[in-house]
Amino acid sequence: MTAAGFLDIATPGLMTSVQDLGRFGAQALGMPVAGATDPIALRLVNLVVGNPENTAALEIGYLGPGFTVAADNVRVAFGGAAKLMLQPADGSDARALKPWRSVVLKRGDRLTIGAIEDASVAYLAVQGGFALPPFMGSYSTYMRSGLGGFEGRALKAGDRLPLALGAAPEGEERELADSIDYGSGPIRVVLGPQEDRFTAKGIETFLSAAYTVTKEADRMGLRLDGETVEHTRGADIASEGLVTGSIQIPGNGKPIILMADRQTTGGYTKIATVISADLPRVGRMKPGDALTFQAISVAEAEAIRRAQEQGIRRLIEGIRTALPDVWLDHNALYTVNLISGAVDAPSGHWR
């Protein structure tokens, strides 16, 4: 695909990569699904900017990038909570932009995205997406193997990210009307498939103890710290298939929640699997976050997921035309004489 313009990356952020909803159908070949760790945010921010839900966007980890527009113009939207500062190319005052609202950036404009305030990830969607080749049916980046996305890696300073559109289509700006409800309380799981490899005490510990996300947390998985979970006869099993949300308990007894870039097979016992409705909430967690687990049935998990999708559809239906941005250009204000005269109140004479 030929680039119609570029985003010139000045600062890459801590971990910024191209992701869509994932690479499905290739796990038998050892290829992980990858994709967004918060698929709800990816879907919604794409729709705000006018894209199909599965369009590849930038997944931003912890600290956002800064880039300059090298195209006639481009429409973008940021899905998350962070300080967004736009420095216009015309030299007018820098101004803050709103998240979950589309905006057209012009050639030479620079956007800087600050630290993610409420989660480990956020997303920047670009109308039309990026002019990148798909790999095995997806644009997601699997960084451990250097495949997909932009050169198979996270962005770095000096990159030129190619745009599919060189100019934004005419149209009104849009915004998300309501906030996303990711839920609260314990992370819900379905026990198994190796539930029998844990003692009754071990399962009780897993479901009652409080755990903390450690610094060993990335797109592959979250290592947790807390009470150890007791096995019946060791942690090792013959390698078998894994799914996103599998919770392995290795020999040290500390849970590991497997995430988007997880391996496709593994040889540690798995005590439970995070239900699909709670995976976006887990995907947003950062080191230091606390969590507990609650066991539910498969039927309950399916009902929760259906209810969650109904809530997402309501958010989608509520996407609305955005009110115009209003801001003061102080440079213009200070260089224009806004007073042409004054009245001497006692005399009534103009001077």
Side-chain angles (χ1 to χ4, degrees), residues 197-198 201-203 205-206 209 211 223-231 234-236 247-256 268-269 271 293:
R197 294 293 297 264
F198 300 91
K201 178 184 176 182
I203 293 173
T205 297
F206 174 72
Y211 291 95
R223 287 184 179 270
L224 306 182
D225 192 22
E227 293 188 42
T228 58
V229 177
E230 186 178 80
H231 293 87
D236 295 332
I247 304 177
Q248 292 182 323
I249 310 288
N252 67 2
K254 302 295 180 70
I256 303 170
Y268 289 136
T269 49
I271 194 170
F293 296 104

Side-chain angles (χ1 to χ4, degrees), residues 103-283:
V103 63
V104 173
L105 307 180
K106 299 176 182 178
R107 185 181 296 275
D109 285 354
R110 177 165 176 168
L111 180 64
T112 303
I113 302 171
I116 311 303
E117 298 168 359
D118 63 343
S120 61
V121 293
Y123 296 86
L124 183 83
V126 173
Q127 190 171 27
F130 302 110
L132 296 170
F135 177 76
M136 299 181 75
S138 170
Y139 295 90
S140 283
T141 311
Y142 180 48
M143 286 171 274
R144 290 179 179 271
S145 294
L147 299 171
F150 181 78
E151 299 183 2
R153 58 172 173 80
L155 298 184
K156 62 184 181 181
D159 283 342
R160 306 199 80 201
L161 194 58
L163 300 172
L165 297 179
E170 293 290 334
E172 296 177 314
E173 303 309 323
R174 309 203 310 163
E175 64 183 0
L176 191 67
D178 298 303
S179 59
I180 303 169
D181 181 7
Y182 288 96
S184 60
I187 299 300
R188 292 160 293 189
V189 300
V190 174
L191 290 175
Q194 280 89 44
E195 182 183 354
D196 62 323
R197 294 293 297 264
F198 300 91
T199 66
K201 178 184 176 182
I203 293 173
E204 180 184 356
T205 297
F206 174 72
L207 294 175
S208 62
Y211 291 95
T212 304
V213 179
T214 71
K215 292 181 179 179
E216 294 180 271
D218 57 19
R219 286 180 45 83
M220 187 174 183
L222 308 182
R223 287 184 179 270
L224 306 182
D225 192 22
E227 293 188 42
T228 58
V229 177
E230 186 178 80
H231 293 87
T232 56
R233 55 185 189 278
D236 295 332
I237 59 172
S239 288
E240 64 176 24
L242 299 171
V243 298
T244 304
S246 289
I247 304 177
Q248 292 182 323
I249 310 288
N252 67 2
K254 302 295 180 70
I256 303 170
I257 306 176
L258 301 182
M259 298 304 294
D261 284 358
R262 58 171 172 78
Q263 66 274 33
T264 56
T265 62
Y268 289 136
T269 49
K270 298 174 289 298
I271 194 170
T273 304
V274 176
I275 69 171
S276 60
D278 282 354
L279 281 173
R281 180 152 61 109
V282 175

Side-chain angles (χ1 to χ4, degrees), residues 268-309:
Y268 289 136
T269 49
K270 298 174 289 298
I271 194 170
T273 304
V274 176
I275 69 171
S276 60
D278 282 354
L279 281 173
R281 180 152 61 109
V282 175
R284 292 165 55 82
M285 288 184 170
K286 54 190 183 298
D289 284 351
L291 67 155
T292 58
F293 296 104
Q294 175 188 355
I296 64 173
S297 68
V298 171
E300 288 173 314
E302 291 173 343
I304 291 167
R305 180 65 186 90
R306 285 193 293 270
Q308 181 188 61
E309 187 61 27

Side-chain angles (χ1 to χ4, degrees), residues 50-72:
N51 288 337
E53 295 181 20
N54 191 30
T55 304
L58 292 182
E59 181 177 271
I60 298 163
Y62 299 104
L63 177 67
F67 61 83
T68 301
V69 176
D72 287 348

